[in-house]
């Protein structure tokens, strides 16, 4: 859709379909955010946190069934099923629109329809894209106000004639005359639909109020729809953090990292190095849009304006920058609070305050063994408040990327870090990524390893084979020597007692240091069948109290484990069918050959 008239027509069409009591255009002003928040506090939908401890912060409890993304209810509804590919749910778009039109009919009854114009990316960036979310959830409005550049500035660009992605959302819980509302309205699982229509560049989301299901600028637009735009326009829309790294000598590097949900992007983006003189600054923590510059290098912008981060495990020790960011103007969801407006989650690193009410709204008994916060409890917080935010995080042309990390949670097999031989081999590394499924998604497979190419499995808006081709085509759009180097990292190896071997968090700077030395050609590495791996001596482990044997172990390639891994990769590739690029099979053949040599 494009321009003012189309926007007005669309809003009117949706108003007539969903029959809300009122229509409210969100301007983006602080007063408006405050009055929406006050309204929700008054209605008992939200609670204000202690004003001295957490000024301007609120807390929400979701319905117990609506706590994470719902991949089984997420659809890529392209005209042809083969265009959506083997990794996505598909329904015929005509049929699905019929079903959804039925569901949206009268779905906003008794509620207000909010219109949120927004920009993904800095408002003055040529790489930004516009969207408009229609929603009946005031919670969504105040979250979008943090996560995107929402309101009048985005509207002005649309009114000037620019294109926008229509993003339709309803919690799917109309109110009958006199019916009392619940704190977190949503629809039952079988009525939830997170639907994408690639040919129309449109999103229809029904029945959930949570995170990636409802804040449609994020996964639905900035990844699923944008990945389609990126394929067509020749760039990359990726599930990646972006960080700026400065060495003690003042040399600057930019690094992106593709890790699956709840696998450490936010933490790495805000890392506080434990090695002398190094500095990390944050550009983005979840999504990177990368374009080829005129100089052939890849430049990344962060399309978001806030962080929707995992709360549990966030502490002064693990992520002090996140702790500082969330002290004010932050929305918390599904944590534990008490009558004093104190806040807590597992792994906050402080003793639990007294008389907590858990995420389900029940008095919490610390002895019960129940979790006080949901494992996917989140904070929504402005990126601008982050003490480590990079001064140029909103640079309209983005930052030039030196290295791309890929990785996931793997208790075995995958070493701490290994470097690809070249771009094609690096794309192969991204394509074989596996990770243990986390609580960021509602699934009965939590903890099991699943393949998740470039951490994009649930976010590719088209056929995975074509997506990997788009990655491979980088060497045609640029050249090997200008493209970032690709590294595969794994912070999550466990020992026999089930404990993490690598200390992780701030100590990941030690791995980043080796990576910069590889970029500069100053660090040695061993050539192994899977790529270049540092020797124990090649890593700067100054001041680190670790078990040398264990660290040597996570830098060792076990051929038998890797042959087994290769077999499993072949199965995974075969499952992607004929569109799987031949180059990646060539890489797999070559890997197996190297593993079999002595
Ligand atoms: P999404 O927002 O879902 O995309 O997650 P994310 O990739 O940003 O993950 P995040 O940084 O929020 O980390 C998720 C969980 O992993 C938290 O509980 C962290 O404490 C934990 N974690 C992050 N980094 C490390 C690490 O280096 N080592 C270990 N052991 N755990 C980590
Ligand atoms: C993820 O699951 O990767 C997230 C959280 O970043 S959500 O926005 O819910 O998708
Ligand atoms: Mn994410």
């Amino acid at each position: 859709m494009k321009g003012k008239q189309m926007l007005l027509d669309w809003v009117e069409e949706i108003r007539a379909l969903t029959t809300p009591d009122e229509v409210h255009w969100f301007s983006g002003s602080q007063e408006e955010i405050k009055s929406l928040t006050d309204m929700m506090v008054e209605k008992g939908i939200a609670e204000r946190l202690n004003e001295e401890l957490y000024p301007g912060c609120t807390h929400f409890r979701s319905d117990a069934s609506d706590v994470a993304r719902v991949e089984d209810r997420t659809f890529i509804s392209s005209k042809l099923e083969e265009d959506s590919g083997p990794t996505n749910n598909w329904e015929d778009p005509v049929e699905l629109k019929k079903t959804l039109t039925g569901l949206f009919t009268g779905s906003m009854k008794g509620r207000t329809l909010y219109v949120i114009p927004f920009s993904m990316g800095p408002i003055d960036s040529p790489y930004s894209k516009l969207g408009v979310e229609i929603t009946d959830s005031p919670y969504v409005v105040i979250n979008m106000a943090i996560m995107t550049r929402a309101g009048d500035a985005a509207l002005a660009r649309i009114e000037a004639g620019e294109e926008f992605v229509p993003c339709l959302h309803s919690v799917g819980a109309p109110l009958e005359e006199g019916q009392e509302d619940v704190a977190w309205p949503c629809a039952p699982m079988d009525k939830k639909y997170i639907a994408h229509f690639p040919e129309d560049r449109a999103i229809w989301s029904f029945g959930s109020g949570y995170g990636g299901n409802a804040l449609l600028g994020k996964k639905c637009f900035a990844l699923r729809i944008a990945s389609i735009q990126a394929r067509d326009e020749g760039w990359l829309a990726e599930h990646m953090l972006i960080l700026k790294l400065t060495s003690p000598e003042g040399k600057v590097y930019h690094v992106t990292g593709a890790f699956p949900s709840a696998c450490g992007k936010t933490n790495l983006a805000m890392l506080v190095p434990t090695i002398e003189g190094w500095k990390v600054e944050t550009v983005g923590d979840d999504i990177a849009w990368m374009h080829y510059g005129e100089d052939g290098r890849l430049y990344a912008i962060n399309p978001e304006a806030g962080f929707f981060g995992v709360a549990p495990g966030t502490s002064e020790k693990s992520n002090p920058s996140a702790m500082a960011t969330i002290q004010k103007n932050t929305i918390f969801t599904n944590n534990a609070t008490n009558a004093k407006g104190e806040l807590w989650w597992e792994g906050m690193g402080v003793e639990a305050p007294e008389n907590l009410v858990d995420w389900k709204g029940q008095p919490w008994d610390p002895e019960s063994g129940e979790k006080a916060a949901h494992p996917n409890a989140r904070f929504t917080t402005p990126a601008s408040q982050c003490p480590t935010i990079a001064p140029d995080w909103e640079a309209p042309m983005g930052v030039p990327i030196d290295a791309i990390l890929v990785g996931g949670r793997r208790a075995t097999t995958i070493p701490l870090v290994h470097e690809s031989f070249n771009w094609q081999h690096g794309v192969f590394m991204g394509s074989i990524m596996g990770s243990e499924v986390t609580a960021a998604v509602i699934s009965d497979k939590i903890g099991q390893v699943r393949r998740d190419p470039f951490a994009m499995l649930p976010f590719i808006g088209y056929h995975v084979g074509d997506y990997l081709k788009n990655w491979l085509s980088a060497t045609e759009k640029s050249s090997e020597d200008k493209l970032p180097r690709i590294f595969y990292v794994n912070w999550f190896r466990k020992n026999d007692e089930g404990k993490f071997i690598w200390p992780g968090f701030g100590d990941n700077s030690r791995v980043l240091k080796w990576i910069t030395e590889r970029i500069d050609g100053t660090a040695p590495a061993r050539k192994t069948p899977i790529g270049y791996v540092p020797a124990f001596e090649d890593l700067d482990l100054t001041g680190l109290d670790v078990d040398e044997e264990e660290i040597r172990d996570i830098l060792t390639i076990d051929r038998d484990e890797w042959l087994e891994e290769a077999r499993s990769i072949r199965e995974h590739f075969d499952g992607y069918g004929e569109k799987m690029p031949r180059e990646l099979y060539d890489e797999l053949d070559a890997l197996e050959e190297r593993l079999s040599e002595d």
Side-chain angles (χ1 to χ4, degrees):
M1 287 192 190
K2 206 174 188 166
K4 185 176 181 179
Q5 196 53 50
M6 270 196 179
L7 173 58
L8 293 173
D9 291 349
W10 177 59
V11 171
E12 175 48 27
E13 182 198 337
I14 300 304
R15 190 204 58 76
L17 176 70
T18 58
T19 63
D21 286 356
E22 277 173 64
V23 173
H24 178 128
W25 289 70
F26 180 63
S27 73
S29 75
Q30 287 309 313
E31 299 78 64
E32 209 173 340
I33 295 167
K34 183 167 184 309
S35 88
L36 281 170
T37 307
D38 288 344
M39 180 271 287
M40 286 188 276
V41 171
E42 245 160 67
K43 285 194 175 166
I45 298 171
E47 53 183 350
R48 282 210 181 278
L49 293 181
N50 187 296
E51 201 51 38
E52 262 157 47
L53 298 172
Y54 301 100
C57 294
T58 47
H59 180 256
F60 290 78
R61 287 184 173 82
S62 81
D63 187 89
S65 69
D66 201 24
V67 294
R69 283 183 296 103
V70 284
E71 293 179 6
D72 289 347
R73 306 297 309 160
T74 300
F75 298 85
I76 301 296
S77 211
S78 38
K79 287 205 173 94
L80 298 176
E81 181 169 8
E82 67 194 66
D83 289 343
S84 122
T87 57
N88 288 308
N89 299 312
W90 180 84
E91 274 200 36
D92 178 75
V94 176
E95 288 303 313
L96 186 53
K97 278 187 185 167
K98 216 185 277 170
T99 307
L100 282 167
T101 302
L103 288 169
F104 275 104
T105 301
S107 78
M108 298 192 186
K109 210 169 150 188
R111 302 189 183 280
T112 299
L113 179 160
Y114 299 94
V115 184
I116 317 165
F118 62 92
S119 168
M120 297 313 290
I123 207 91
D124 59 347
S125 167
Y127 300 137
S128 292
K129 294 197 179 282
L130 300 163
V132 178
E133 179 158 353
I134 288 181
T135 181
D136 53 6
S137 161
Y139 169 81
V140 165
V141 180
I142 62 169
N143 275 271
M144 285 290 286
I146 294 177
M147 294 306 296
T148 72
R149 283 93 177 164
D152 288 344
L155 181 62
R157 279 183 61 173
I158 293 169
E159 289 184 335
E162 284 191 57
E163 225 172 279
F164 65 93
V165 169
C167 308
L168 172 57
H169 173 253
S170 171
V171 294
L175 290 168
E176 295 308 324
E177 204 56 53
Q179 184 185 341
E180 207 171 309
D181 204 0
V182 293
W184 186 281
C186 62
M189 195 55 93
D190 63 339
K191 294 266 164 31
K192 291 193 210 301
Y193 285 88
I194 319 300
H196 307 72
F197 300 98
E199 285 86 0
D200 301 344
R201 306 271 195 265
I203 301 159
W204 297 28
S205 166
F206 187 89
S208 168
Y210 200 87
N213 302 327
L215 312 176
L216 300 186
K218 195 173 178 60
K219 301 302 158 112
C220 297
F221 180 175
L223 289 178
R224 297 197 189 96
I225 295 294
S227 67
I228 298 165
Q229 297 172 314
R231 173 201 61 190
D232 293 350
E233 297 164 11
W235 51 282
L236 298 157
E238 300 298 330
H239 191 200
M240 287 179 168
L241 72 103
I242 312 166
L243 66 80
K244 176 178 182 176
L245 180 65
T246 308
S247 75
E249 296 75 38
K251 192 158 179 211
V252 171
Y253 308 82
H254 291 97
V255 179
T256 62
F259 310 152
S261 302
C263 289
K265 288 182 300 299
T266 301
N267 276 274
L268 194 70
M270 297 178 192
L271 163 150
V272 179
T274 50
I275 41 178
E276 265 308 294
W278 289 78
K279 183 163 87 174
V280 165
E281 288 164 296
T282 311
V283 178
D285 85 322
D286 199 50
I287 300 179
W289 284 358
M290 296 190 289
H291 291 79
Y292 301 91
E294 272 167 19
D295 57 2
R297 298 188 69 187
L298 262 184
Y299 286 78
I301 65 162
N302 170 12
E304 301 191 281
F307 307 129
F308 184 63
V310 179
T314 309
S315 68
E316 266 328 312
K317 187 156 175 272
S318 69
N319 194 343
S321 308
M323 290 305 279
T325 312
I326 63 176
Q327 290 313 306
K328 57 181 185 191
N329 310 323
T330 297
I331 301 166
F332 296 91
T333 307
N334 284 344
N335 296 283
T337 59
N338 65 14
K340 288 191 201 153
E342 294 172 303
L343 173 75
W344 195 76
W345 53 69
E346 277 72 20
M348 196 190 237
V350 294
E351 218 176 296
E354 291 194 339
N355 301 319
L356 280 178
V357 175
D358 70 11
W359 69 274
K360 290 180 181 159
Q362 301 300 318
W364 183 64
D365 172 6
E367 305 299 311
S368 68
E370 298 271 315
K371 295 229 186 292
H374 187 277
N376 193 41
R378 298 259 168 179
F379 51 76
T380 316
T381 196
S384 59
Q385 287 182 186
C386 180
T388 58
I389 198 77
D392 54 350
W393 77 284
E394 298 186 283
M397 301 305 285
V399 294
I401 302 305
D402 299 285
I404 293 174
L405 314 186
V406 300
R409 282 177 189 265
R410 288 293 299 272
T412 66
T413 317
I414 313 294
L416 177 64
V417 55
H418 65 293
E419 180 191 353
S420 65
F421 297 123
N422 53 42
W423 182 262
Q424 178 171 304
H425 181 234
V427 175
F428 172 73
M429 281 179 176
S431 75
I432 66 171
M433 268 171 59
S435 193
E436 294 149 19
V437 177
T438 64
V441 47
I442 295 178
S443 169
D444 52 11
K445 307 221 163 45
I446 289 176
Q448 295 178 28
V449 172
R450 73 168 180 185
R451 300 285 161 190
D452 189 347
F454 286 99
M456 282 287 281
L457 180 74
F459 307 122
I460 304 169
Y462 56 105
H463 196 295
V464 60
D466 292 333
Y467 166 80
L468 292 168
K469 275 194 197 103
N470 190 40
W471 267 98
L472 288 167
S473 74
T475 47
E476 292 153 28
K477 298 180 177 107
S478 174
S479 57
E480 195 79 44
D481 59 316
K482 303 216 172 70
L483 288 167
R485 305 274 278 270
I486 302 181
F487 297 81
Y488 193 151
V489 299
N490 178 21
W491 318 136
F492 299 97
R493 283 285 290 265
K494 287 184 176 164
N495 63 17
D496 296 339
E497 283 125 51
K499 284 223 174 80
F500 290 118
I501 294 171
W502 181 247
F505 301 102
D507 287 314
N508 292 335
S509 56
R510 300 169 191 275
V511 174
L512 292 179
K513 179 179 175 189
W514 180 77
I515 286 171
T516 63
E517 291 166 354
R518 289 299 295 167
I519 293 169
D520 293 341
T522 57
R526 291 171 301 149
K527 192 168 183 186
T528 77
I530 68 163
Y532 295 108
V533 180
F536 179 81
E537 294 73 20
D538 299 335
L539 288 178
D540 181 350
L541 302 177
T542 319
L544 193 61
D545 182 21
V546 284
D547 182 328
E548 181 173 334
E549 276 321 297
E550 282 193 338
I551 301 296
R552 283 187 186 277
D553 199 40
I554 61 172
L555 296 171
T556 305
I557 310 311
D558 182 316
R559 279 178 195 251
D560 290 336
E561 275 182 18
W562 266 93
L563 279 167
E564 181 50 39
E565 184 77 7
R567 266 190 294 278
S568 140
I569 293 166
R570 193 171 292 279
E571 230 172 80
H572 142 73
F573 277 11
D574 289 349
Y576 287 169
E578 286 182 358
K579 283 200 174 185
M580 195 61 196
R582 202 207 64 243
E583 293 90 329
L584 298 177
Y585 274 108
D586 291 346
E587 288 293 337
L588 178 56
D589 293 342
L591 170 66
E592 281 185 329
E593 225 163 89
R594 290 190 301 267
L595 287 167
S596 308
E597 284 163 9
D598 26 45

